[in-house]
Amino acid sequence: MEGKIIVITSGKGGVGKTTATAALGAAIALEGKRVAVVDMDIGLRNLDVVMGLENRIVFNVVDLAKGRCKVRQAAIKDRRIENLFLIPASQSDNKTALSTDDMIRLCKKLRQEFDVVLIDCPAGIEQGFENSVIGADEAVVVCTPEVSAVRDADRIIGLLYARSITPKLIVNRIVPRLVASGDMLSHKDVVDVLSIELIGLVCMDDFVITSTNTGTPVVLDRDSRAGQAFRRIAARLLGNTEIPIVDPLEDLKGFWNRISSKMGLRKT
Amino acid sequence: MDQTVSLKGVGDGLRLHIGVPMAREKLLAEISPLFDRIRQLASGARITVDASGEDPDLLPFLRDFLIREYAVAEVIPVETVQPRQQESRKRQRDVDKSWENRKSDVLMMCGRVRSGQRIQAKGHLVLMGDVNPGGEVIAGGDLIILGSLCGMAMAGQTQKKDAIIVALDFRPTLLHIGQQVSSGPFGSGNKNPEYAFLREDTIIVEDYLGNPPFGRLPWPEFRA
């Protein structure tokens, strides 16, 4: 069976595409699928650092696409998770190093070797975006609850629809405390504007920062709320639609309810 | 050419003008060629007779002749038609179907205008859907958004000063009407239908339901 290719994109930079790609790749691999994560941010590679594989890079995605190496030479196996492979970006090349034809050929090769291929799309809507999207079957749009991120995500969604891809939405970096006090957009506001299928809400989580710095997958951490959210999103991406989307605000309310009921302020 | 007798189209009928009183035979000799020329048109038409001189038998005579020879529908004197009846007829027509023969240039769209997308209409634009932040809607006439307007809206491009912009949820980032520009802040922010219009070259935003722009028109009018 041929694998499916999912592009993870956002338009705006710094909303958590790379983190989400690494986390989802790990989570899908933990479900038993053979996964490749491809860093398409050519010239500004990051995904290898986030996954803690930066000192094992020999070949990169440009070499692979140009036919200078085999898939199995370019794919770096993860240290901890079986079935998880990284195809790193080239650091020395330019964003225009690959053409869309190169990418279509590359995607064909990757489809044969892996069950799921996650493509980490660079920010922006130039050649890098075109290349990332051209071979993709599905798209996941990552958006933070900020006006600027919403606008860029909206633009990206329009471009994806124009390429006949129906995108799904992850709202990342939600701070429930700020949402509750009205200082941050709620995920409902974001979904209202973008009006695409929501597949996950991820809270702001300090574990993510430490895990990207140390190169350990956040999904392995049972205490990390973001990690667990990514595991649920991975399951949903694999077609398990029955998993409910957890509203982080409900969690917050629950937390305060628990505290206040313990202190006898509220009847349970 | 002798202009003592003339025939011309007026409203939904024909008007026969007889300038000087004359003998019956001469009159018929004058009238016949006029009606011969438009035999098809005259059939079934209403003929208004505007005759000088006081001849009470003239009208019945003409009526007999014209109905017999040219099958006109009716022949009436000019006095009864002019002031009262024509006025009421006009008013009736305005209320009923003044728009029937008017063509309006309206672009009707549905869906969501996302960031970076633009819809442009030569005439009026109706959008059943939303305009997201960063989206643009541009119309030569009015702009009607049946949804929320959060992007940029331009109405009355480029010179139409009486154009309006209506949205059910009015939160645009930028408005143009005619040559005027306004960047807000707009509206009350409580998700009421509101509309923007020009008053003395300034863009004003008001509640649409509380103060409808065309609420005082006596009857439905064609919006050009």
Side-chain angles (χ1 to χ4, degrees):
Chain A
M1 200 193 105
E2 288 214 323
K4 66 176 172 184
I5 299 184
I6 305 174
V7 60
I8 294 171
T9 180
S10 74
K12 187 178 177 297
V15 296
K17 283 182 299 294
T18 303
T19 315
T21 310
L24 289 176
I28 294 172
L30 288 175
E31 301 271 335
K33 303 279 183 191
R34 202 172 146 80
V35 182
V37 290
V38 183
D39 191 351
M40 278 303 294
D41 204 345
I42 294 164
L44 290 170
R45 73 170 178 228
N46 288 133
L47 190 54
D48 52 329
V49 181
V50 172
M51 293 174 73
L53 300 171
E54 69 268 31
N55 48 16
R56 299 214 217 157
I57 297 172
V58 181
F59 294 106
N60 58 46
V61 68
V62 177
D63 296 325
L64 181 57
K66 296 282 184 197
R68 294 197 280 258
C69 65
K70 297 246 159 58
V71 172
R72 109 181 21 163
Q73 286 174 293
I76 305 168
K77 197 174 167 305
D78 190 76
R79 284 182 296 178
R80 293 173 194 77
I81 300 170
E82 198 73 13
N83 293 334
L84 178 61
F85 296 85
L86 166 71
I87 296 173
S90 157
Q91 181 72 338
S92 51
D93 280 300
N94 200 297
K95 271 187 195 260
T96 52
L98 293 182
S99 69
T100 46
D101 291 341
D102 292 334
M103 278 311 292
I104 291 171
R105 273 199 301 276
L106 174 64
C107 289
K108 207 172 171 185
K109 276 190 219 163
L110 293 175
R111 248 183 247 277
Q112 290 162 356
E113 300 270 340
F114 300 98
D115 299 324
V116 177
V117 178
L118 296 180
I119 296 182
D120 182 21
C121 177
I125 53 172
E126 298 90 9
Q127 184 74 39
F129 170 78
E130 297 287 340
N131 284 347
S132 307
V133 168
I134 190 83
D137 307 308
E138 294 179 21
V140 172
V141 173
V142 182
C143 183
T144 54
E146 295 162 75
V147 178
S148 53
V150 170
R151 178 173 297 186
D152 289 1
D154 197 28
R155 178 92 171 102
I156 287 289
I157 290 166
L159 294 175
L160 289 169
Y161 273 125
R163 286 161 180 76
S164 311
I165 302 175
T166 307
K168 293 170 179 169
L169 179 67
I170 294 176
V171 183
N172 197 11
R173 297 233 189 109
I174 300 169
V175 184
R177 186 175 48 83
L178 291 181
V179 177
S181 65
D183 293 320
M184 185 179 246
L185 291 177
S186 81
H187 69 268
K188 288 199 187 72
D189 299 333
V190 178
V191 174
D192 267 358
V193 170
L194 299 182
S195 66
I196 55 172
E197 188 196 338
L198 180 70
I199 56 160
L201 303 171
V202 183
C203 282
M204 193 74 165
D205 188 344
D206 293 345
F207 282 105
V208 175
I209 297 169
T210 49
S211 76
T212 50
N213 283 341
T214 55
T216 51
V218 69
V219 290
L220 287 182
D221 198 325
R222 290 269 161 210
D223 293 331
S224 163
R225 295 177 71 192
Q228 296 311 305
F230 278 121
R231 291 196 78 154
R232 291 193 293 271
I233 294 168
R236 282 180 210 120
L237 273 179
L238 292 177
N240 191 346
T241 50
E242 277 144 41
I243 299 168
I245 290 175
V246 180
D247 186 343
L249 276 179
E250 291 297 322
D251 247 31
L252 187 77
K253 278 183 210 152
F255 175 71
W256 285 112
N257 284 352
R258 276 203 303 278
I259 292 211
S260 49
S261 64
K262 261 189 189 157
M263 292 167 70
L265 294 175
R266 195 187 299 238
K267 282 175 192 163
T268 42
Chain B
M1 195 189 151
D2 187 3
Q3 281 297 313
T4 51
V5 176
S6 66
L7 186 65
K8 59 178 176 181
V10 174
D12 54 353
L14 296 165
R15 183 169 167 142
L16 179 63
H17 177 80
I18 303 168
V20 282
M22 55 182 87
R24 295 289 149 88
E25 288 76 27
K26 188 160 182 274
L27 182 62
L28 289 187
E30 291 274 352
I31 292 174
S32 299
L34 294 177
F35 276 88
D36 281 337
R37 239 182 287 156
I38 54 158
R39 187 173 281 274
Q40 295 296 329
L41 280 176
S43 141
R46 175 209 301 255
I47 310 297
T48 310
V49 179
D50 174 18
S52 61
E54 292 185 6
D55 185 352
D57 296 334
L58 178 64
L59 197 73
F61 167 77
L62 279 177
R63 183 177 292 144
D64 283 349
F65 171 75
L66 289 175
I67 290 177
R68 191 180 64 240
E69 291 293 321
Y70 299 101
V72 303
E74 55 178 330
V75 177
I76 48 175
V78 70
E79 294 85 12
T80 56
V81 174
Q82 223 165 14
R84 195 174 42 80
Q85 209 181 339
Q86 211 165 30
E87 173 70 8
S88 74
R89 195 147 42 92
K90 182 165 178 275
R91 187 166 292 174
Q92 191 65 33
R93 202 172 61 215
D94 277 342
V95 176
D96 284 350
K97 39 185 119 174
S98 65
W99 53 86
E100 218 166 50
N101 296 315
R102 305 294 295 269
K103 254 195 187 162
S104 179
D105 195 7
V106 179
L107 178 65
M108 184 112 168
M109 302 286 288
C110 58
R112 180 177 289 273
V113 183
R114 294 185 181 277
S115 175
Q117 295 174 339
R118 169 191 283 173
I119 293 183
Q120 208 159 0
K122 284 205 181 91
H124 304 304
L125 171 61
V126 181
L127 173 70
M128 296 190 285
D130 302 331
V131 182
N132 279 3
E136 295 175 16
V137 278
I138 300 167
D142 298 328
L143 201 46
I144 296 161
I145 312 293
L146 297 168
S148 58
L149 171 60
C150 303
M152 193 202 70
M154 299 169 85
Q157 296 305 306
T158 57
Q159 299 286 346
K160 204 165 177 294
K161 284 186 169 185
D162 67 337
I164 63 168
I165 301 174
V166 192
L168 298 187
D169 174 16
F170 198 88
R171 291 178 286 159
T173 51
L174 191 70
L175 291 181
H176 287 235
I177 299 180
Q179 296 286 304
Q180 305 304 317
V181 185
S182 176
S183 58
F186 302 106
S188 50
N190 47 5
K191 289 207 170 186
N192 273 346
E194 285 172 286
Y195 76 106
F197 60 101
L198 276 187
R199 184 189 288 154
E200 289 161 4
D201 284 348
T202 313
I203 294 181
I204 311 231
V205 178
E206 276 185 8
D207 207 349
Y208 186 78
L209 290 181
N211 181 24
F214 307 114
R216 301 225 164 169
L217 288 182
W219 51 70
E221 235 175 49
F222 179 79
R223 179 85 171 149

